[in-house]
Amino acid sequence: MQSGGTRRATVAMAALGSLLTMTTLSACGSAHTGHPGGREGRPGAPATHPRKAVATPDPTRIPDVGDRLQRALPADTGQVLAVYGDGKDSPNSSAVLFTKHGSTWHRDASWPAHNGKRGWTTDHHLDDKRSPVGVFTLTAAGGVLDDPGTELPYFQDESYEAPRDWDESHWHDFDYVIAIDYNRVPGTPPDDGEQPEGEDKGGGIWLHLDHGSGTSACVSLSKEALEHLLRTLDPDRHPVVLMGDRTHLKG
């Protein structure tokens, strides 16, 4: 028979055991119920893996253009309109104006654009509906509308009007144009017909206003883009257009 003291000791030990058991269960529960203060049961710190190095673009080069066309840029060129075609057979492209400061190129503005209906070619011929790949000087401008304030030689004449038997969406194509010096005499009016490489090589390739789809071989942009270019291109900086589909540009 237990004495009173022994019974009290036994009861106290049992109570202590129950308290320890409850504390342990409560801690496990808090770890798995997502309480903000709990830490047990949470995933540990994620394993660290070395990050792959990302190449920094070279500011002395036009982005995404390979050595061949980089070397084709005249040494005295300070303005480049780069036209990046979406694909060899695509009429869609984007145009980016770069200006050189010291030895580095700065991206100044960009716009959506269109090129030849059938895409691009490195061997353009008359009526192939492809725009020529390459680097070409920009030395003259003109159009139906008055000079918006360009430093380029500007030839305004209503003769630039698109024929009225064309679809109405094309009627304003030539409100502003900038001649691309492909198979033409640089500095002459955009509509000058002389083609030094012969008629079969095509010609009359311009930057002109966009009508929402591909062109015969020209590059088309919005009116706002053409106005910006006309007011920004500076003959003293020897502007050029560098154009082609992205694959050819990188080649």
Side-chain angles (χ1 to χ4, degrees):
M1 186 173 184
Q2 293 180 320
S3 66
T6 301
R7 284 198 303 273
R8 285 194 295 273
T10 301
V11 171
M13 289 297 292
L16 179 59
S18 298
L19 180 60
L20 289 172
T21 301
M22 290 174 63
T23 302
T24 302
L25 290 173
S26 177
C28 290
S30 68
H32 291 284
T33 55
H35 293 305
R39 292 190 61 85
E40 291 185 44
R42 291 186 173 187
T48 57
H49 301 284
R51 292 187 177 182
K52 191 173 183 179
V54 177
T56 303
D58 183 349
T60 65
R61 297 169 61 95
I62 301 298
D64 300 316
V65 175
D67 291 341
R68 182 179 63 84
L69 288 175
Q70 296 279 355
R71 289 192 295 266
L73 294 173
D76 58 0
T77 291
Q79 291 176 315
V80 171
L81 179 67
V83 181
Y84 299 93
D86 285 2
K88 181 179 180 295
D89 301 317
S90 171
N92 301 315
S93 52
S94 56
V96 183
L97 179 63
F98 293 95
T99 301
K100 198 172 191 179
H101 299 282
S103 61
T104 63
W105 290 101
H106 294 260
R107 179 185 177 122
D108 288 346
S110 63
W111 308 273
H114 285 102
N115 49 267
K117 295 175 184 177
R118 296 179 182 170
W120 298 89
T121 179
T122 56
D123 186 22
H124 176 67
H125 285 80
L126 182 66
D127 290 334
D128 66 9
K129 308 302 182 188
R130 293 180 179 271
S131 297
V133 175
V135 175
F136 309 100
T137 54
L138 302 171
T139 57
V144 177
L145 301 180
D146 290 339
D147 181 353
T150 184
E151 296 296 322
L152 294 170
Y154 190 87
F155 302 87
Q156 187 274 334
D157 199 292
E158 291 183 0
S159 64
Y160 283 94
E161 263 189 13
R164 285 308 186 256
D165 59 352
W166 287 10
D167 188 90
E168 188 174 351
S169 64
H170 293 265
W171 286 4
H172 294 282
D173 281 10
F174 311 132
D175 281 358
Y176 291 126
V177 305
I178 300 174
I180 294 172
D181 290 338
Y182 168 86
N183 195 20
R184 63 175 246 106
V185 179
T188 58
D191 61 353
D192 183 81
E194 186 173 350
Q195 297 179 341
E197 298 179 50
E199 185 177 344
D200 183 59
K201 293 294 289 181
I205 298 178
W206 299 341
L207 302 174
H208 67 66
L209 266 64
D210 190 62
H211 51 255
S213 61
T215 69
S216 293
C218 298
V219 172
S220 61
L221 303 103
S222 68
K223 183 178 181 181
E224 293 74 21
L226 260 295
E227 287 177 336
H228 181 89
L229 289 170
L230 285 167
R231 292 170 180 156
T232 304
L233 296 178
D234 181 356
D236 291 339
R237 306 204 72 178
H238 309 284
V240 302
V241 59
L242 185 165
M243 61 192 214
D245 60 280
R246 290 184 178 273
T247 300
H248 275 117
L249 289 181
K250 290 180 179 179

